Amino acid sequence: MFQHDQSGQLPAGQQVYVVDDDPGMLESTVWLLESVGLSVQPFTDGRVFLEACRPDMRGCLLLDVRMPGMGGLSVQDALRERGIDLPIIFVSGHADVPMVVRAFRAGAVDFIEKPYSEQLLLDSVQHVLRHRQRDVSPLLKAVHARLAALTQREQDVLLPLVHGHTNREIADRLGISVKTVDLHRARVMRRMQAPHLPALVGMAIAAGLADPLALGLAKRTDAEVDPAQR
C-alpha cells in the first residue's frame, strides 16, 4: 500500500504538493511525477495540508476540487488569506463554468479535467516550476494572436461558449443548426489550442474578453443546462 507522510512542516524546497482524497488517483499521480524526477509530497486531506503549510514554501500545488470536508476551492481561499503564494493547478472530474471562473479569478494557473492526459499534467506542472517568476506577457500575446486568427463566426461562438451556454442555446441565438455550432466549437478549441473548456475560459479571462464575476453571475441565473452539451 502507498504510504505518505501527512505530519510536520513542509520543506521550503521546490516541490509538487498533491492533494487528492482518492488514494488510487493520488498514488498514480505521485508515481507519474516522481517518474520524471520531481520531488512530491502527497496529502489526502485539505485541512492536513493547510496545517503543514508555511509562507516560505516553494513549488506548486496540484489540487483536487471536490473533496469531503474541505474542497479545493476552500483550500485556495485559505492559502490566499494566509498570504501563501503557491501556484495552483486544479484537477476535477466534474468541472463547470462557475467553478472554473472562481478558480481562475482567485489566481489558479491551470485547470485540468479528469481523466487527464499524463503528458498534459506533466507539461503543466513543469511549466509552472520553470516559470515560477514568469513574465506572462508572451503568453498573452500568443492568446491574442490566436483570437485574431478566428473567423467572425468562430468569435460569435466563442463568447457564449465561455459563458457556459449549451450548443443548442448558441444555435438558437445565432440562428444556425446545432451541428454547425459543433463544427465551429471544435475549430475554436483547435485554433485556440485549448485542450478543454476550462482552458478556453481561462484564456478568455486573461485576454479581457470575459469578466470573471459576470461569468459566475450569468451561469447562476441560467435556466437549464444539459451537461451533455457543455
Side-chain angles (χ1 to χ4, degrees):
M1 177 62 67
F2 177 60
Q3 299 295 325
H4 51 88
D5 180 13
Q6 296 197 136
S7 62
Q9 294 289 312
L10 294 178
Q14 190 90 324
Q15 291 217 350
V16 181
Y17 307 102
V18 184
V19 183
D20 196 317
D21 66 301
D22 182 338
M25 180 63 70
L26 184 65
E27 180 175 0
S28 63
T29 301
V30 171
W31 178 88
L32 174 64
L33 296 171
E34 290 182 338
S35 72
V36 295
L38 296 174
S39 178
V40 186
Q41 187 154 359
F43 295 83
T44 57
D45 185 280
R47 288 194 180 92
V48 176
F49 167 74
L50 288 173
E51 290 172 1
C53 286
R54 65 189 198 192
D56 61 347
M57 60 196 300
R58 297 175 59 241
C60 71
L61 172 61
L62 195 60
L63 183 60
D64 190 20
V65 174
R66 298 185 185 276
M67 296 183 290
M70 189 175 199
L73 294 174
S74 296
V75 172
Q76 182 186 36
D77 290 341
L79 289 173
R80 291 181 64 202
E81 290 172 2
R82 299 181 186 188
I84 298 177
D85 181 22
L86 190 65
I88 299 176
I89 299 170
F90 277 105
V91 294
S92 175
H94 308 281
D96 55 27
V97 170
M99 181 187 297
V100 175
V101 168
R102 178 179 170 186
F104 277 116
R105 188 174 61 197
V109 297
D110 203 352
F111 201 113
I112 301 175
E113 290 184 297
K114 298 178 182 177
Y116 47 74
S117 157
E118 292 184 351
Q119 192 59 53
L120 176 65
L121 182 68
L122 288 174
D123 287 346
S124 182
V125 170
Q126 291 174 329
H127 176 80
V128 170
L129 294 179
R130 284 195 305 264
H131 301 83
R132 182 63 185 92
Q133 305 297 331
R134 63 193 181 286
D135 176 7
V136 299
S137 57
L139 299 178
L140 284 177
K141 288 179 181 178
V143 169
H144 282 295
R146 294 169 200 164
L147 287 168
L150 296 179
T151 66
Q152 183 59 54
R153 181 59 82 189
E154 288 166 353
Q155 293 176 19
D156 292 340
V157 169
L158 169 67
L159 289 179
L161 180 60
V162 299
H163 278 80
H165 293 285
T166 67
N167 290 356
R168 169 60 64 185
E169 290 170 338
I170 297 173
D172 291 344
R173 172 180 295 191
L174 299 179
I176 57 180
S177 69
V178 174
K179 184 176 181 179
T180 301
V181 172
D182 286 337
L183 292 174
H184 287 305
R185 174 175 176 156
R187 289 172 183 165
V188 167
M189 299 295 286
R190 184 173 63 254
R191 292 191 176 190
M192 291 302 297
Q193 299 179 30
H196 41 61
L197 181 57
L200 187 66
V201 173
M203 291 179 193
I205 293 173
L209 293 179
D211 175 16
L213 182 58
L215 284 176
L217 290 174
K219 190 60 181 177
R220 281 197 295 271
T221 57
D222 239 357
E224 223 178 286
V225 176
D226 179 4
Q229 292 184 316
R230 290 185 187 275

